[in-house]
Amino acid sequence: QVRLIESGGGLVQPGYSLRLSCAASGLTISRYTMGWFRQAPGKEREFVAANIWSLGRTVYADSVKGRFTISRDNAKNTVYLQMNSLKPEDTAVYYCAASLKTLMVDRGAYDYWGQGTQVTVSS
């Protein structure tokens, strides 16, 4: 059974950093498009970042470019999201997702989702 388990969320002040992890089991992440999405209360789940290992392709939402970095350790079957210079607007539940498609920013293209981890940025 496929499982994606996020960790690393928490409460930080603006300008600080967090690194989220997504540990996968039941699938091999090197075969998948791996993405991060986030959802704030009352808002749609929105795209944050994604990577296709086989194509060497990485895409970021404009709101996080230059601040967030998606990476992966295929040997550990784990995906990461390094979040620097955090802003209050980054507050949301962050979800890891996996897809066999190459439509990286479309949440409907993703087949598997984790349960999410809360990130709160507040002074």
Side-chain angles (χ1 to χ4, degrees):
Q1 184 176 357
V2 172
R3 292 181 180 136
L4 302 175
I5 302 176
E6 302 97 334
S7 62
L11 172 64
V12 297
Q13 297 181 48
Y16 281 61
S17 299
L18 285 172
R19 189 177 77 156
L20 307 183
S21 297
C22 173
S25 61
L27 63 80
T28 300
I29 64 168
S30 62
R31 301 176 182 174
Y32 284 78
T33 300
M34 300 301 299
W36 288 95
F37 290 74
R38 66 188 183 187
Q39 188 167 23
K43 298 183 67 177
E44 295 284 318
R45 190 169 299 187
E46 68 175 2
F47 171 78
V48 175
N51 170 263
I52 306 177
W53 176 254
S54 61
L55 298 178
R57 182 182 298 171
T58 301
V59 177
Y60 296 95
D62 287 342
S63 58
V64 307
K65 282 181 181 176
R67 300 189 298 121
F68 290 12
T69 303
I70 186 172
S71 63
R72 61 171 77 195
D73 186 334
N74 288 332
K76 295 181 179 179
N77 219 33
T78 299
V79 180
Y80 305 96
L81 185 68
Q82 178 68 43
M83 305 186 295
N84 298 329
S85 302
L86 283 161
K87 304 175 180 179
E89 305 94 273
D90 297 317
T91 296
V93 177
Y94 283 71
Y95 297 91
C96 176
S99 173
L100 287 172
K101 305 180 182 67
T102 57
L103 300 174
M104 303 173 72
V105 305
D106 182 4
R107 67 179 184 268
Y110 288 80
D111 303 295
Y112 304 105
W113 295 84
Q115 293 298 300
T117 185
Q118 177 71 48
V119 172
T120 303
V121 184
S122 176
S123 59

